[in-house]
């Protein structure tokens, strides 16, 4: 795994929101809006329930009247336009009243084992009033204006897995619908999308009951849920090597499976070709002002043209056509284009590759055991085999050791500081620079006799225990480690964010700086009532 | 009477980890110390006061780790030794003082302990852990604020 490739990844059939929608459709989950009590100022509460064959999940929504000047996507914000929790089952009135004392305060509140996720969202200033006024006046909003933003609200955090007192992952992980990664978080965001659409239509009626109209269904679908993602996601990728390995391995296995298809059927070829026609409109709607992304999208536009040209005369009836195409892309396309093709070729092959989605979770409850009887020589060999890239970096060069990851006491916001400008940060540095730390451990390992047991080394050098455990873990799992310097002066945290977000199923990546990215989720996807009426859970992807 | 604080087990282990780092343990040793504390709590056993006491003795936790890495060196003289052995040899039956591990269940004074994914601790214990954990957080400064995501740009659009 290299950062430049991670920073070019796209959603695929294995992405978590795709897995979620497939399951909703296949198992015919039922959807109900159990409550919607919101006043003309947009203040109130609502309940949205999804029923699987075996249980209920309810999104408890609190809508607020937030002054414009308080609206901020940063972790350090203290108020939002709407706040949410995903409740395990059907909440009672007492539950809702209890949650109303906690959920609007987010990190300052406390949840119980009955709650599974905690989230909040802010309105898009660019679109909210425009769409509201259009609907209140009886008009449909302009698609071009919608396309420039893509959402009416963006979430600024979706917490799960025991955060703030909510249910530990171990409570739900054995449930079929929650076993794959982030399924309950996907459910939360999906129901938020429905709530947001209902909210704006409701407020339009409150504003002008005489003339207000609802959104046309095709326009309604063009809204996803935005999301602002900051630095918290980057440490996640480093702190969960075994889990991350499973994600990347599943996708790699899926690509290898499709490359191994000897003969493509006409249906599969047609499906692929139809998807390729969606790429240009999709790219046109992919707005970003960040110079890195602007440049990548210009190159991607050329890549799409190259792909279209290639397909003009391409004979799909050769043996192993997908391998031939992917091999061609590695020579002719940018990494962004290669990754787009890697995701595209998976689409016609759900029957061969969707099952890889079942292998993307990981039991991380126990630490990886260290075998203290290993010799120092053997540990050194593992490091030389898997971390040669780290041993080759000159860590005395200030540009290679330029940054420090740390947590601020301000709402525990994760931050990335310049080490040499803020030397006090050294004291607070988190263990998020495996490359440098492995080089330091290696230097000390070299001081000892080769036959020294690892346990004796760690008793003398306990400061290396974390990185040694990591090396032994990652040495067994080829996709577990980012083989790049995470504290280099030129490192872009957005590359890490993009990789994780692509596994979520996000699109329209719009970096706002080197450490913050806006994305869109579920844009174009069917709403719950549409899925219940038989809408295809897959055929909305690469929407403009 | 002081209030009881309830955390998810996951949240509790993360807090123990930070407290251990804040007390001066290295990251790797802190991970094992936190896993040890969370293991007790997963059976509803609050050994936290002893766990916190040991934070003042770095050597204790380094030795604890050695017992995990080399189970043959574990002399099983206290319940933390039992936790270290069970962590790497969960299938093994073992008894230390009034604690008995059956290979699957923890029995104390003859009573089977009920597993749970919640952690209950006193307000005093919670404050003590947070006091140590806070040492891992950098002070809030204007300069630091600029190094967070979203700094220096309008995010209200």
């Amino acid at each position: 795994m290299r950062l430049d490739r991670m920073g070019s990844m796209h959603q695929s059939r294995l992405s978590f929101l795709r897995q979620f929608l497939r399951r909703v459709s296949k198992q015919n989950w039922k959807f109900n809006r159990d409550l919607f009590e919101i006043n003309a100022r947009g203040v109130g509460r609502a309940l949205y329930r999804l029923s699987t064959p075996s249980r209920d999940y309810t999104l408890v929504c609190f809508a607020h009247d937030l002054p414009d000047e308080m609206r901020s996507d940063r972790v350090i914000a203290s108020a939002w336009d709407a706040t949410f929790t995903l409740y395990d089952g059907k909440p009672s009135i007492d539950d809702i009243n209890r949650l109303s004392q906690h959920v609007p305060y987010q990190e300052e509140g406390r949840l119980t084992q009955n709650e599974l996720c905690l989230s909040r969202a802010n309105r898009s200033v660019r679109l909210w009033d425009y769409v509201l006024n259009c609907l209140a006046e009886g008009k449909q909003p302009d698609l071009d204006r919608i396309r420039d933003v893509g959402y009416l609200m963006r979430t600024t955090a979706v917490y799960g897995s025991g955060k703030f007192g909510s249910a530990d992952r171990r409570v739900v992980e054995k449930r079929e619908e929650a076993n794959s990664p982030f399924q309950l978080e996907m459910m939360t965001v999906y129901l938020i999308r429905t709530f947001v659409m209902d909210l704006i239509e409701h407020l339009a009626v409150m504003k002008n009951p005489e003339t207000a109209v609802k959104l046309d269904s095709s326009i309604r679908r063009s809204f996803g849920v935005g999301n602002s993602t900051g630095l918290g996601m980057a440490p996640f990728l480093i702190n969960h090597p075994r889990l991350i390995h499973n994600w990347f391995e599943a996708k790699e296995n899926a690509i290898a499976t499709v490359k191994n298809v000897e003969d493509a059927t006409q249906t599969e070829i047609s499906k692929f070709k139809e998807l390729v026609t969606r790429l240009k409109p999709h790219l046109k709607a992919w707005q970003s002002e960040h110079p890195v992304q602007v440049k990548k999208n210009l190159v991607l536009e050329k890549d799409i043209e190259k792909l279209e040209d290639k397909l003009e005369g391409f004979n799909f009836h050769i043996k192993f056509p997908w391998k031939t195409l992917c091999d061609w892309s590695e020579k002719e396309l940018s990494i962004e284009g290669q990754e787009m093709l890697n995701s595209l070729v998976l689409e016609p092959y759900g029957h061969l590759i969707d099952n890889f989605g079942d292998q993307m979770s990981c039991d991380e409850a126990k630490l990886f055991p260290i075998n203290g009887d290993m010799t120092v020589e053997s540990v050194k060999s593992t490091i030389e085999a898997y971390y040669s890239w780290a041993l080759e970096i000159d860590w005395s060069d200030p540009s290679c050791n330029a940054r420090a990851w740390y947590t601020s006491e301000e709402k525990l916001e994760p931050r990335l500081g310049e080490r040499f400008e803020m030397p006090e940060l050294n004291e607070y540095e988190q263990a998020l620079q495996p490359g440098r730390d492995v080089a330091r451990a290696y230097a000390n390992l070299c001081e000892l006799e080769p036959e020294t047991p690892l346990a004796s080394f760690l008793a003398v050098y306990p400061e290396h225990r974390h990185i040694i455990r990591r090396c032994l873990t990652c040495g067994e799992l080829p996709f577990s480690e980012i083989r790049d310097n995470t504290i280099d002066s030129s490192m872009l945290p957005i590359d890490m964010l993009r990789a994780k977000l692509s596994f979520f199923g996000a699109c329209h990546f719009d970096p706002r700086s080197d450490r913050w990215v806006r994305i869109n989720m579920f844009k174009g996807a069917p709403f719950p009532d549409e899925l219940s009426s038989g809408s295809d859970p897959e055929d909305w992807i690469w929407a403009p | 009477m002081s209030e009881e604080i309830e955390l998810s087990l996951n949240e509790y282990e993360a807090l123990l980890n930070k407290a251990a780092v804040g007390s001066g343990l290295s990251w790797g040793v802190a991970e094992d110390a936190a896993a040890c504390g969370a293991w007790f709590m997963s059976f509803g056993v609050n050994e936290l006061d002893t766990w916190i006491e040991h934070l003042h003795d770095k050597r204790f936790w380094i030795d604890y780790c050695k017992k995990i890495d080399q189970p043959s060196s574990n002399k099983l003289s206290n319940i933390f030794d039992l936790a270290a052995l069970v962590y790497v040899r969960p299938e093994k039956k073992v008894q230390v003082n009034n604690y008995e591990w059956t290979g699957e269940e923890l029995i104390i004074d003859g009573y089977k302990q009920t597993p749970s994914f919640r952690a209950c601790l006193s307000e005093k214990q919670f404050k003590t852990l947070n006091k140590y954990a806070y040492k891992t957080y950098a002070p809030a400064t204007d300069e630091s604020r600029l190094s967070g995501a979203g700094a220096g740009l309008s995010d209200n659009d």
Side-chain angles (χ1 to χ4, degrees):
Chain A
M1 290 202 303
R2 301 298 304 267
L3 281 173
D4 55 357
R5 189 162 291 276
M6 292 171 74
S8 301
M9 293 182 73
H10 294 268
Q11 64 85 26
S12 76
R13 288 190 76 95
L14 297 180
S15 294
F16 307 138
L17 72 79
R18 302 278 305 272
Q19 292 193 42
F20 167 73
L21 287 178
R22 269 202 293 280
R23 191 171 289 108
V24 175
S25 172
K26 193 175 164 192
Q27 299 182 348
N28 195 20
W29 292 11
K30 304 294 179 216
F31 168 72
N32 280 288
R33 190 172 91 174
D34 290 340
L35 177 78
F36 195 90
E37 287 178 358
I38 308 238
N39 68 20
R41 283 172 37 237
V43 178
R45 47 180 75 172
L47 301 176
Y48 287 75
R49 177 162 50 91
L50 271 178
S51 305
T52 76
S54 50
R55 56 172 59 79
D56 295 303
Y57 294 94
T58 306
L59 184 76
V60 183
C61 315
F62 296 98
H64 311 288
D65 182 17
L66 183 70
D68 281 349
E69 67 275 12
M70 286 189 74
R71 191 173 294 117
S72 166
D73 290 1
R74 288 193 71 170
V75 173
I76 51 179
S78 58
W80 302 269
D81 285 310
T83 53
F84 311 93
T85 188
L86 185 68
Y87 185 88
D88 194 2
K90 286 161 94 168
S92 67
I93 293 295
D94 286 348
D95 286 321
I96 299 166
N97 288 335
R98 168 177 61 81
L99 292 168
S100 74
Q101 301 300 308
H102 294 274
V103 174
Y105 305 100
Q106 295 285 293
E107 294 94 338
E108 303 299 319
R110 291 298 297 169
L111 300 175
T112 72
Q113 192 157 278
N114 291 323
E115 287 83 52
L116 305 169
C117 292
L118 178 71
S119 183
R120 68 289 189 104
N122 282 332
R123 294 174 184 175
S124 162
V125 173
R126 288 175 289 172
L127 265 196
W128 185 269
D129 284 347
Y130 166 69
V131 174
L132 179 61
N133 290 333
C134 283
L135 295 180
E137 290 165 16
K139 296 184 301 194
Q140 292 297 318
D142 177 47
L143 267 174
D144 284 340
R145 274 190 79 165
I146 296 170
R147 193 187 57 199
D148 287 348
V149 181
Y151 55 81
L152 286 166
M153 276 198 192
R154 56 179 173 266
T155 55
T156 69
V158 184
Y159 296 114
S161 301
K163 287 274 179 69
F164 312 110
S166 62
D168 199 287
R169 164 131 179 102
R170 285 166 280 194
V171 174
V172 295
E173 69 184 356
K174 292 200 168 57
R175 299 180 189 176
E176 188 262 343
E177 69 274 16
N179 181 260
S180 267
F182 291 100
Q183 291 301 290
L184 299 175
E185 286 83 353
M186 296 300 112
M187 184 189 295
T188 300
V189 175
Y190 184 60
L191 291 174
I192 288 174
R193 176 176 180 241
T194 308
F195 163 75
V196 171
M197 306 318 293
D198 287 358
L199 179 64
I200 200 152
E201 289 180 338
H202 171 74
L203 292 179
V205 172
M206 301 292 266
K207 190 168 183 175
N208 198 338
E210 302 296 319
T211 56
V213 290
K214 289 189 178 301
L215 283 161
D216 284 349
S217 62
S218 63
I219 296 180
R220 209 172 196 259
R221 273 228 200 172
S222 68
F223 289 100
V225 176
N227 170 268
S228 274
T229 291
L231 288 177
M233 210 170 252
F236 181 94
L237 280 178
I238 303 173
N239 284 333
H240 297 270
R242 288 182 283 175
L243 178 66
I244 298 307
H245 166 83
N246 288 354
W247 296 4
F248 282 85
E249 187 182 52
K251 191 168 181 198
E252 288 298 317
N253 283 341
I255 295 167
T257 300
V258 172
K259 281 183 179 175
N260 213 23
V261 169
E262 200 170 337
D263 300 299
T265 67
Q266 197 52 51
T267 311
E268 290 155 1
I269 296 164
S270 302
K271 175 73 193 164
F272 174 77
K273 283 183 166 176
E274 192 274 318
L275 286 170
V276 171
T277 67
R278 301 185 193 187
L279 297 179
K280 275 186 175 165
H282 177 84
L283 185 61
K284 194 176 171 200
W286 184 348
Q287 303 283 325
S288 181
E289 291 172 7
H290 194 274
V292 170
Q293 195 61 48
V294 168
K295 199 172 156 195
K296 285 171 103 170
N297 284 5
L298 283 172
V299 176
L300 187 57
E301 191 178 0
K302 294 224 163 34
D303 283 349
I304 294 170
E305 280 167 12
K306 282 186 195 170
L307 178 62
E308 287 174 342
D309 288 348
K310 176 77 179 168
L311 295 181
E312 284 265 317
F314 188 69
N315 178 9
F316 277 97
H317 301 291
I318 56 171
K319 295 289 177 196
F320 305 107
W322 308 109
K323 181 177 185 310
T324 307
L325 264 186
C326 290
D327 289 351
W328 164 83
S329 78
E330 284 171 24
K331 293 189 198 86
E332 300 294 332
L333 305 187
S334 67
I335 298 178
E336 184 94 39
Q338 293 167 28
E339 287 301 318
M340 183 177 259
L341 186 63
N342 281 339
S343 287
L344 272 179
V345 298
L346 303 186
E347 289 299 333
Y349 291 99
H351 58 291
L352 295 183
I353 62 122
D354 286 350
N355 285 346
F356 287 116
D358 300 338
Q359 298 167 19
M360 295 170 88
S361 59
C362 175
D363 179 7
E364 295 182 295
K366 276 192 79 170
L367 293 168
F368 189 87
I370 294 174
N371 175 2
D373 293 328
M374 278 180 84
T375 63
V376 156
E377 187 62 22
S378 158
V379 180
K380 277 170 63 186
S381 301
T382 300
I383 292 175
E384 286 156 7
Y386 296 101
Y387 287 87
S388 57
W389 58 272
L391 301 181
E392 285 161 12
I393 294 173
D394 177 7
W395 296 100
S396 64
D397 177 346
S399 72
C400 297
N401 192 21
R403 268 91 170 265
W405 294 90
Y406 67 101
T407 304
S408 167
E409 67 177 10
E410 270 188 290
K411 283 193 78 181
L412 311 190
E413 187 178 62
R415 293 178 181 170
L416 180 66
E418 300 300 321
R419 182 190 313 280
F420 295 103
E421 289 166 26
M422 301 161 74
E424 69 277 12
L425 293 185
N426 286 315
E427 194 183 330
Y428 303 103
E429 184 170 31
Q430 306 273 311
L432 296 169
Q433 49 292 317
R436 188 202 64 192
D437 293 350
V438 82
R440 286 182 175 175
Y442 184 81
N444 288 133
L445 282 164
C446 290
E447 293 165 4
L448 298 188
E449 291 298 321
E451 294 307 312
T452 310
L454 177 57
S456 304
F457 171 78
L458 291 174
V460 180
Y461 293 104
E463 65 271 33
H464 295 317
R465 185 173 182 80
H466 173 84
I467 194 65
I468 292 293
R469 190 196 323 268
R470 186 180 182 88
C471 291
L472 299 176
T473 309
C474 296
E476 293 187 359
L477 307 169
F479 302 108
S480 55
E481 190 69 277
I482 301 168
R483 293 174 188 227
D484 269 313
N485 181 4
T486 54
I487 50 171
D488 191 89
S489 61
S490 64
M491 184 271 303
L492 297 173
I494 48 175
D495 286 340
M496 287 188 249
L497 310 188
R498 168 127 174 215
K500 188 176 177 203
L501 291 165
S502 78
F503 277 106
F504 281 10
C507 60
H508 295 95
F509 304 94
D510 176 18
R512 306 285 294 168
S513 77
D514 66 341
R515 59 196 66 190
W516 175 37
V517 64
R518 281 221 190 119
I519 49 133
N520 199 310
M521 294 174 78
F522 293 106
K523 183 176 163 58
F527 285 89
D529 57 317
E530 294 175 310
L531 278 181
S532 305
S533 334
S535 282
D536 188 329
E538 310 283 5
D539 193 29
W540 55 274
I541 45 145
W542 301 104
Chain B
M1 199 177 132
S2 74
E3 209 180 321
E4 197 168 66
I5 309 285
E6 185 182 316
L7 307 178
S8 74
L9 194 60
N10 188 32
E11 193 177 24
Y12 177 67
E13 185 167 348
L15 179 59
L16 293 181
N17 201 339
K18 283 191 226 175
V21 172
S23 79
L25 296 186
S26 79
W27 285 98
V29 176
E31 285 160 0
D32 285 288
C36 167
W39 182 79
F40 282 120
M41 194 60 94
S42 72
F43 290 98
V45 182
N46 186 329
E47 288 291 345
L48 192 48
D49 288 338
T50 319
W51 188 93
I52 290 170
E53 263 174 47
H54 288 316
L55 287 186
H56 303 292
D57 177 8
K58 277 188 196 172
R59 201 68 239 170
F60 174 86
W61 288 112
I62 292 169
D63 291 344
Y64 173 85
C65 288
K66 194 164 186 211
K67 289 167 193 164
I68 289 181
D69 300 346
Q70 285 183 317
S72 56
S73 71
N74 190 342
K75 302 289 181 241
L76 289 172
S77 56
N78 60 52
I79 56 167
F80 285 82
D81 293 347
L82 176 137
L85 188 69
V86 171
Y87 209 78
V88 278
R89 301 270 186 274
E91 71 288 352
K92 216 171 160 135
K93 291 179 183 172
V94 53
Q95 182 158 10
V96 176
N97 305 334
N98 54 338
Y99 278 58
E100 183 189 351
W101 175 253
T102 66
E104 283 176 356
E105 293 171 335
L106 183 64
I107 293 168
I108 304 176
D109 294 328
Y111 292 99
K112 188 180 122 182
Q113 304 299 303
T114 312
S116 134
F117 296 120
R118 305 301 280 179
C120 292
L121 49 162
S122 71
E123 200 173 358
K124 186 178 169 217
Q125 289 174 327
F126 185 63
K127 280 185 176 167
T128 305
L129 289 178
N130 271 307
K131 186 187 79 182
Y132 284 114
Y134 236 79
K135 294 180 182 182
T136 65
Y137 307 141
T141 62
D142 289 342
E143 197 181 9
S144 169
R145 269 195 156 211
L146 293 175
S147 64
L153 285 161
S154 166
D155 54 6
N156 184 14
D157 62 356

